[in-house]
Amino acid sequence: MSTHTQPTPLPCPQKWNNYPLEVSRTCKSKRALAAYQARMARDGKDIFVSEIEPRFVDIWERRQDADDFQPMERVSSLERLDKFTGDGSSDPSCRFIFLYTESSRGKLCCTLGQLNRVLAHHEVMPSFLDFCFEFKNKENPTVSTMFRFEDQLSPHSKDAPLRMQHAFNIVAPEKDNRHDNEHPWHIRHTTAYHSFNFTEARSTWITVKANRVIRERIISTGESLGFKGTDMHQQAKAQFTYSLFTHIQILEWCTEGWGGYIAYLEERVRKHATAIKLAPVEALSRKAPRRKSRPPLAPGPAATGFSHYSSNEPQPSGIGGRIRSNLSRMASGFSGHSRITTVTEPHHPLGVPLGEEAAEGEDEEQLDGIFRFDDLQRIRQVTDDAEQAGMIIRENLRILGTIRERYRDLFSSLQKGHLGSACNIDTLPYEDLLIDFCRQLSVLQGDLESYDSRVQVLLRSLERNEEMFQGILQYGNMRVGEYYARSAETSAETMEKWTVRMHQIAAETEQQTVSMHAITVLTLIFLPGTFVSVRILISPLPSSFHLVCCSTPTLFSSGIWDFNASKSHNMGDWETRIPALKLFLAISLPLMAVALLCWWITYRWAKGKHRIPSDWIFDALKPSNAFKSVAPAGREPAL
């Protein structure tokens, strides 16, 4: 490699605000660069924190003549950033720039000016902004991956450096041990940019992550890896080795958390799968649907309806817990120690015991209480998480495969001697490094493929469990339909018995009504004559006055017949007074006719008032008026 260490010409200050329009070497068109700049200006408030919020950039670097890295510095202002990107600064042999986000779904913890100055100074390819656009406040974290590269390995001029640069992001689960919650695993992503200058043996890294996991990995590795040696070729080889090793450190992160995360998903599946496969579905489906209470058909204090759980008793949660609770009650035989409360049912007026229907469903736990729709939703959620995990693993495999092919192409270029002759370097040590690097990438790819196989097996198991769960729900619905069909048939038979009994009561009532009419008519016939012939006396008593009815017989003592007469008949001595008889009949017969007429008028009026018109009945039988009131507005038929 060439021994000159002249730094790359730094961009002038006005380029910081014009990034990426002023990037000197790029394959992007001017129109594409202008679109990048316009989008950064438009969406900047959603991507970057404001000036009043905490904003900082961590920089960790190693100079050309130093054996180790310098202490990391936190830069929180543009003035302090001038120390690293100003006109009088020089680039080190290796520099790491750590950017952070508020969260895995949050903004970048830097300003637009800070990012533009970093990117413009290091001549970062404009396509790196595609990754920056993903950092904004959103509901779900980023799960897709991207890979961008823009190499400059063909010299355009004698002083133009040869370098390769690429950027990628990877996604992996991380376990949050700070909170002991039900869902400790979270999907997070990491973005990395790398540039290696073959001409000057300089390496630049930019990483973006919400936490400091990647930063701690890189720092711990860099502090243990020495860069001793004064030979320029040894320094260049060590720098290239560290560049490849940093790739491995970052890419290993996307493979380490999948084992625990998939085990976590499998545990969630096991809780539901065991209950679905071992539940006594046939036994549970024979139980009547649960009803908390119903109004009694017969009076009495014992008519309390179906039995139910005590309100102060804890209810089992989850499919497995509900099944275990149900099996324990079934084994106990629903004795006095059972959680089911035994009640005494009254008897039906027709002789059918009211407790017969309740005894069929006195066990509280049925299919609808064990297999609920929210359990199906939980299974669907696990399926969604597993499908997302499989998609992320395949995305990471694609990134690893792309990086592997990229360094294979570099290896081919070194073998052909193009890059080695241009940079004046010995290619044999680099070929060995690239072969070892590709082997390590193959190991990581094998791990991800193994995890992907586990996820596919998990998805097939979830699919079978979901089908079985839906089958259980459908079977339970079918048995519930059968139960209600039997209940409807029983109710119809009961109503038929009630109808027969009501018909008998109606016939008896009709007979009694005829008798009452006969009694009424006879009473009306004899009442006027009795009224005319009776005598009422007012008898003064010593203490008070009372109205006293005379107890003298009415008809024979009225004077129409004289039993002291001299005429003799077969039935005794009596004489009929014709004028008195005529007077009696002249008064009694009209009164009897008036009484009968008043009764008949009153009877017809009452009968007409309580009669429902026939046209109302016909209208009610029409299908279109089946659910409408048959009475006119403002009037209801009297029953």
Side-chain angles (χ1 to χ4, degrees):
M1 180 176 293
S2 176
T3 57
H4 70 85
T5 59
Q6 183 178 358
T8 303
L10 300 177
C12 54
Q14 57 267 25
K15 289 187 177 181
W16 298 337
N17 296 326
N18 292 332
Y19 180 84
L21 290 176
E22 300 297 334
V23 176
S24 58
R25 299 175 62 184
T26 178
C27 61
K28 296 290 184 180
S29 63
K30 289 293 184 181
R31 183 175 182 179
L33 297 179
Y36 275 127
Q37 188 180 48
R39 186 175 178 183
M40 290 290 287
R42 182 181 68 251
D43 300 339
K45 62 180 181 301
D46 299 325
I47 300 175
F48 305 96
V49 297
S50 61
E51 296 291 339
I52 61 176
E53 295 180 273
R55 56 198 185 280
F56 52 87
V57 176
D58 288 343
I59 298 179
W60 190 53
E61 60 185 19
R62 186 185 71 86
R63 292 291 170 178
Q64 188 75 33
D65 53 350
D67 293 336
D68 297 317
F69 281 87
Q70 297 179 357
M72 185 175 59
E73 294 191 35
R74 173 156 295 184
V75 179
S76 58
S77 63
L78 290 176
E79 291 75 13
R80 293 192 59 187
L81 195 59
D82 287 340
K83 173 184 175 182
F84 303 94
T85 62
D87 294 338
S89 62
S90 60
D91 288 341
S93 60
C94 183
R95 172 176 286 172
F96 287 91
I97 301 173
F98 301 104
L99 302 179
Y100 307 98
T101 59
E102 295 177 330
S103 66
S104 58
R105 302 180 296 273
K107 302 178 181 180
L108 284 170
C109 294
C110 66
T111 62
L112 176 59
Q114 289 175 332
L115 183 66
N116 279 342
R117 182 164 297 191
V118 170
L119 300 183
H121 175 78
H122 296 92
E123 288 284 329
V124 177
M125 57 183 182
S127 56
F128 178 73
L129 295 177
D130 291 332
F131 299 90
C132 297
F133 294 145
E134 296 294 325
F135 299 106
K136 58 181 65 176
N137 290 327
K138 50 190 174 182
E139 182 177 357
N140 298 316
T142 301
V143 295
S144 60
T145 61
M146 294 184 291
F147 186 88
R148 299 288 186 271
F149 72 96
E150 193 170 322
D151 295 337
Q152 300 162 1
L153 299 178
S154 299
H156 291 73
S157 63
K158 184 178 180 180
D159 297 331
L162 302 180
R163 69 169 182 166
M164 61 180 298
Q165 57 177 343
H166 55 253
F168 59 89
N169 68 328
I170 49 179
V171 185
E174 285 186 349
K175 188 174 183 180
D176 189 0
N177 296 319
R178 295 175 300 176
H179 305 286
D180 186 15
N181 49 25
E182 186 179 357
H183 303 286
W185 289 92
H186 305 280
I187 300 298
R188 291 169 180 166
H189 62 100
T190 296
T191 299
Y193 164 83
H194 174 59
S195 171
F196 190 82
N197 189 324
F198 288 94
T199 304
E200 302 172 0
R202 298 183 187 277
S203 176
T204 302
W205 284 90
I206 300 177
T207 64
V208 186
K209 199 177 187 311
N211 55 28
R212 292 163 175 76
V213 172
I214 298 298
R215 189 194 73 176
E216 299 302 328
R217 283 169 171 263
I218 295 174
I219 292 177
S220 61
T221 304
E223 291 176 347
S224 61
L225 186 64
F227 292 90
K228 301 184 181 297
T230 57
D231 184 75
M232 186 62 190
H233 293 290
Q234 293 180 355
Q235 289 283 341
K237 179 183 177 182
Q239 189 60 49
F240 189 73
T241 302
Y242 185 62
S243 175
L244 298 178
F245 192 73
T246 303
H247 276 88
I248 297 298
Q249 291 295 309
I250 296 176
L251 295 175
E252 278 182 347
W253 172 81
C254 74
T255 65
E256 294 177 353
W258 288 111
Y261 182 66
I262 295 175
Y264 161 71
L265 294 179
E266 291 172 343
E267 178 63 23
R268 291 171 61 185
V269 172
R270 187 189 61 80
K271 294 179 180 179
H272 300 288
T274 303
I276 292 174
K277 295 177 181 177
L278 302 180
V281 177
E282 185 65 30
L284 294 173
S285 63
R286 289 196 294 266
K287 300 172 186 177
R290 173 178 21 223
R291 288 193 293 177
K292 292 296 184 182
S293 61
R294 59 178 168 88
L297 296 179
T304 56
F306 287 97
S307 59
H308 55 277
Y309 284 123
S310 175
S311 59
N312 58 356
E313 192 168 350
Q315 302 293 329
S317 60
I319 299 179
R322 293 192 292 270
I323 290 180
R324 288 191 296 270
S325 176
N326 180 70
L327 292 177
S328 63
R329 286 195 302 275
M330 293 174 65
S332 64
F334 302 102
S335 60
H337 299 284
S338 175
R339 289 167 51 186
I340 304 299
T341 304
T342 303
V343 297
T344 303
E345 293 286 349
H347 288 275
H348 198 281
L350 299 179
V352 180
L354 293 179
E356 183 177 343
E357 182 183 3
E360 188 179 354
E362 67 178 352
D363 185 9
E364 183 69 13
E365 286 294 352
Q366 301 112 16
L367 282 179
D368 61 344
I370 295 179
F371 298 95
R372 297 195 296 258
F373 189 78
D374 54 355
D375 296 320
L376 180 60
Q377 289 177 317
R378 294 188 184 97
I379 295 177
R380 184 70 256 182
Q381 180 62 44
V382 178
T383 304
D384 293 341
D385 293 342
E387 290 177 347
Q388 184 187 69
M391 185 270 292
I392 294 173
I393 291 175
R394 290 187 291 273
E395 287 285 308
N396 290 336
L397 276 170
R398 183 180 62 85
I399 294 298
L400 266 65
T402 303
I403 295 176
R404 184 182 178 187
E405 291 297 325
R406 178 168 172 76
Y407 279 95
R408 277 183 176 178
D409 294 340
L410 179 62
F411 175 74
S412 299
S413 179
L414 290 175
Q415 280 186 326
K416 294 177 182 179
H418 302 320
L419 186 59
S421 59
C423 299
N424 190 21
I425 60 174
D426 182 12
T427 61
L428 184 59
Y430 292 91
E431 293 176 1
D432 296 337
L433 292 175
L434 290 174
I435 292 174
D436 184 63
F437 175 71
C438 291
R439 288 175 179 171
Q440 295 185 59
L441 287 181
S442 298
V443 173
L444 297 180
Q445 286 179 300
D447 293 341
L448 288 179
E449 290 173 354
S450 175
Y451 294 138
D452 186 50
S453 300
R454 289 180 59 184
V455 171
Q456 298 307 317
V457 172
L458 179 62
L459 285 173
R460 288 192 291 270
S461 175
L462 281 168
E463 183 178 0
R464 292 192 297 268
N465 291 336
E466 186 173 350
E467 291 177 354
M468 184 177 294
F469 193 96
Q470 291 178 347
I472 291 174
L473 292 182
Q474 293 176 1
Y475 184 74
N477 292 335
M478 181 187 69
R479 297 304 298 265
V480 169
E482 293 176 357
Y483 166 77
Y484 282 116
R486 291 194 303 268
S487 298
E489 182 180 1
T490 303
S491 299
E493 293 176 355
T494 303
M495 291 302 299
E496 184 178 358
K497 295 178 181 178
W498 274 105
T499 303
V500 172
R501 179 58 181 158
M502 292 299 295
H503 181 73
Q504 296 174 354
I505 294 175
E508 296 174 357
T509 304
E510 183 179 4
Q511 296 174 359
Q512 295 174 1
T513 302
V514 172
S515 301
M516 292 301 297
H517 286 176
I519 294 173
T520 302
V521 172
L522 292 175
T523 301
L524 292 175
I525 290 175
F526 287 97
L527 182 61
T530 304
F531 176 77
V532 171
S533 60
V534 72
R535 287 187 301 172
I536 300 177
L537 299 177
I538 299 178
S539 177
L541 297 176
S543 59
S544 60
F545 295 92
H546 295 281
L547 187 65
V548 182
C549 293
C550 179
S551 60
T552 305
T554 57
L555 181 61
F556 292 102
S557 63
S558 59
I560 298 175
W561 289 280
D562 185 8
F563 290 96
N564 296 321
S566 59
K567 294 182 177 182
S568 176
H569 300 279
N570 294 331
M571 300 179 67
D573 296 334
W574 55 277
E575 181 180 0
T576 302
R577 297 180 180 180
I578 300 300
L581 179 61
K582 292 180 178 180
L583 178 62
F584 178 78
L585 295 176
I587 297 175
S588 298
L589 292 178
L591 286 177
M592 182 180 63
V594 170
L596 291 173
L597 179 63
C598 292
W599 168 82
W600 182 83
I601 293 174
T602 304
Y603 173 77
R604 295 295 298 176
W605 174 79
K607 183 178 180 181
K609 180 179 180 182
H610 294 278
R611 181 174 62 86
I612 299 177
S614 60
D615 55 344
W616 292 4
I617 300 176
F618 293 146
D619 290 342
L621 295 177
K622 293 180 180 179
S624 59
N625 298 330
F627 299 98
K628 297 181 181 179
S629 175
V630 300
R635 179 182 177 189
E636 297 182 356
L639 300 179

